[in-house]
Amino acid sequence: NGTDGKDGADGAVSFVVDDGIKETATLTLQLLNKYKDLKLTYAIITNRLATLQTETNNGVANYVMLDGKYVYTVHADTILFWKNILSSAGGRAELISHTNSHAFWGTNDDGGVFEYVDSQGNLLTSSNMPVGSVTAEIIASNQILMEQFGSRGLTHVVPGIMVKTTDTIIGDKTIVTYDTYYQQLLSDCIADGTLAGVRGNTFGTTSNYTGYVTTKDSIARTGVPSLMIRLTDDPTSWCNYIDKAEEMNGLAVFCIHQIIPDGTNGSGHYVYQSMAEELFSHALEKNLWIANYTEATLYFTEWSTASVESVYEDGMIKVTLTDEEDNSFFDEPLTVKISVPATWTSAQLNGETLTVRKDASGNRFVYVNIVPDSGVQYITAA
C-alpha cells in the first residue's frame, strides 16, 4: 500500500507555453481539439492583459493601490481572447504568471534608476522605476490572473530577460544582478504560501536528462527545470526526455514558445506544428499523466511528504492519507494503491465503483484518489 503516480501512471508530463503569444494560442487550441487528452499551461506576461497604474510625487514613482490591491486598466480585447481560449479548451488549459513585464525591473524594491548589464555585457541604465517593481512582477501579475480569470495563482514561470544573472564588475564598481532579489522574493512567496511552485529557466541539454526529471524525492519548488523545444533540435531528444520521466516515475516539464504552421517563417524560439504534434503524440501514447503545471506541482509536492495508513477490519479497509503541506491550497487528490482481499471482485469508495486489478503475482488491489488530510476513507466490497 502507498501513494503512486496519478491513476497508476508511470510518470507525468507538463507542456508550458511561455509568453502568451496569440497566434500560438490559436494554433494550440486546434491541437487541444485534436488531442482530447492533451493539456496545456500558458505562462503569460500579464502586461499584455492589463496596465498597472502608477503615479509620481516629488519625483518618486509608485504603483496606485486601493485596499492593498494594485490598480490597473484591462486590455479588454486581450482578456476576452484568453477567456475564449480557456473556455474552448474545456478545462484542459490554464493561465499562470510569467511575470508582469518580462523585462528588467531593478535589483531591489526601492525604485528609481538602476544600472544593469545585459547578456552581451553592455552597461545600461533603466528608466525611473516605481517603488516595489520587483514585487509587482510576481504579486501584481498573479492578482491580474486571479481577478480576471479566476486563476488560483499558485505557480509562476521564471523569464529569461536577457540580463546577466550574476554580478558584474566594471572597473571598481559592482553591478548587482536583478536575479538575487527576485529569487529571494520567490522563495519568500513559497514560504508564506503565496506560491506553491516555480518553473525555472534552466533548460535540459544533455542526452541523459536524469537531472531534469522531477520526482517526488527531488521536487524543487523554486526552480523546476524544463526542456525548451526549438526548431534546431532533433525531436527525438524531446521524446527521450519523456521516456526518462516514464522510467523514473517523474515529471517532465517542457518550455514551448511559438508553434507556427509548417512552411511559414518565424523568429525567436519556435517549432513547426508537425514537430509539436510529434511531441504531444509521443507523450499521449505512454502510460503518463498529461498534467497542467499547477496540478503537477501540487501532486508531486504532496507526494513528497505523503504517508498512508490502512487497516482491514469489520469487512472494510480504512485508509488515512496525510502529508506535511498547507491544506489551504495543497489539495490535489493523490492516487493511493491499496491491497484488497482475494475474494473481492469489486469495491467502492464513497459510492464510487473502483476497478479491482491484479498485479503480476495475482494479488488484488485498487487505485483510489484521496485528498491528503481529508480524514479516514472507507473502502468496501461492492
Side-chain angles (χ1 to χ4, degrees):
N1 297 332
T3 49
D4 206 340
K6 184 71 170 181
D7 295 326
D10 294 323
V13 178
S14 286
F15 298 110
V16 183
V17 185
D18 285 19
D19 296 346
I21 299 169
K22 285 185 176 181
E23 292 79 6
T24 290
T26 299
L27 192 152
T28 54
L29 181 58
Q30 299 172 19
L31 299 180
L32 284 165
N33 289 330
K34 179 176 181 178
Y35 301 103
K36 299 302 183 183
D37 292 325
L38 179 64
K39 290 184 178 181
L40 295 173
T41 292
Y42 298 99
I44 193 165
I45 305 164
T46 51
N47 67 6
R48 296 180 171 182
L49 305 170
T51 299
L52 297 177
Q53 298 301 295
T54 61
E55 58 186 4
T56 301
N57 295 310
N58 298 320
V60 178
N62 288 275
Y63 292 101
V64 178
M65 308 289 286
L66 181 63
D67 297 328
K69 297 285 189 179
Y70 293 88
V71 176
Y72 54 84
T73 302
V74 299
H75 306 159
D77 289 347
T78 305
I79 294 285
L80 179 60
F81 170 86
W82 283 102
K83 284 185 175 180
N84 287 336
I85 290 290
L86 296 178
S87 175
S88 299
R92 292 185 292 125
E94 66 170 351
L95 283 184
I96 67 174
S97 167
H98 193 33
T99 71
N100 183 63
S101 72
H102 206 285
F104 178 77
W105 48 75
T107 61
N108 56 58
D109 263 342
D110 295 342
V113 176
F114 296 86
E115 286 187 319
Y116 65 101
V117 177
D118 68 13
S119 60
Q120 303 303 310
N122 300 307
L123 180 63
L124 303 174
T125 302
S126 77
S127 60
N128 184 25
M129 299 201 172
V131 174
S133 288
V134 190
T135 295
E137 291 293 328
I138 303 170
I139 303 302
S141 181
N142 260 356
Q143 179 192 323
I144 292 167
L145 292 175
M146 294 167 74
E147 291 178 350
Q148 297 301 316
F149 298 94
S151 166
R152 297 186 69 189
L154 292 179
T155 52
H156 180 88
V157 167
V158 172
I161 65 172
M162 303 305 290
V163 177
K164 287 221 172 185
T165 57
T166 56
D167 291 352
T168 303
I169 298 175
I170 298 179
D172 60 354
K173 181 186 297 186
T174 299
I175 310 299
V176 179
T177 169
Y178 84 97
D179 200 49
T180 301
Y181 193 78
Y182 170 58
Q183 292 294 340
Q184 182 58 56
L185 282 175
L186 287 174
S187 296
D188 291 344
C189 287
I190 294 290
D192 67 19
T194 304
L195 292 174
V198 175
R199 196 211 77 192
N201 59 5
T202 300
F203 303 117
T205 56
T206 70
S207 59
N208 184 25
Y209 300 119
T210 300
Y212 295 97
V213 174
T214 296
T215 69
K216 69 182 182 67
D217 299 317
S218 67
I219 183 73
R221 299 191 193 188
T222 58
V224 171
S226 60
L227 180 65
M228 184 193 296
I229 67 172
R230 296 165 291 197
L231 185 66
T232 54
D233 298 332
D234 177 2
T236 301
S237 67
W238 312 338
C239 295
N240 289 341
Y241 183 44
I242 290 173
D243 294 345
K244 181 61 70 171
E246 181 181 43
E247 175 188 323
M248 297 174 63
N249 202 3
L251 169 65
V253 180
F254 283 89
C255 168
I256 303 169
H257 285 96
Q258 298 180 68
I259 303 175
I260 65 175
D262 288 25
T264 60
N265 296 319
S267 61
H269 297 301
Y270 69 92
V271 294
Y272 290 128
Q273 178 177 342
S274 61
M275 300 170 73
E277 291 201 46
E278 182 178 347
L279 172 66
F280 297 150
S281 295
H282 187 80
L284 291 165
E285 290 168 356
K286 300 289 182 174
N287 181 34
L288 293 167
W289 176 34
I290 311 301
N292 287 333
Y293 182 67
T294 299
E295 62 187 1
T297 296
L298 296 180
Y299 194 97
F300 275 81
T301 303
E302 293 169 10
W303 194 7
S304 70
T305 63
S307 178
V308 180
E309 292 184 2
S310 63
V311 178
Y312 178 68
E313 60 184 19
D314 300 326
M316 66 179 67
I317 303 171
K318 302 176 182 179
V319 182
T320 304
L321 174 65
T322 59
D323 69 7
E324 300 174 12
E325 310 310 322
D326 184 341
N327 296 331
S328 62
F329 54 91
F330 279 101
D331 56 3
E332 182 72 22
L334 292 183
T335 297
V336 184
K337 181 179 180 180
I338 299 293
S339 298
V340 301
T343 56
W344 285 20
T345 57
S346 61
Q348 64 178 7
L349 170 66
N350 298 326
E352 178 186 354
T353 299
L354 306 173
T355 300
V356 174
R357 310 165 189 262
K358 291 184 180 180
D359 62 21
S361 300
N363 300 312
R364 300 188 181 217
F365 68 93
V366 293
Y367 285 126
V368 293
N369 289 312
I370 302 173
V371 176
D373 302 313
S374 57
V376 180
Q377 307 295 311
Y378 299 92
I379 303 174
T380 61

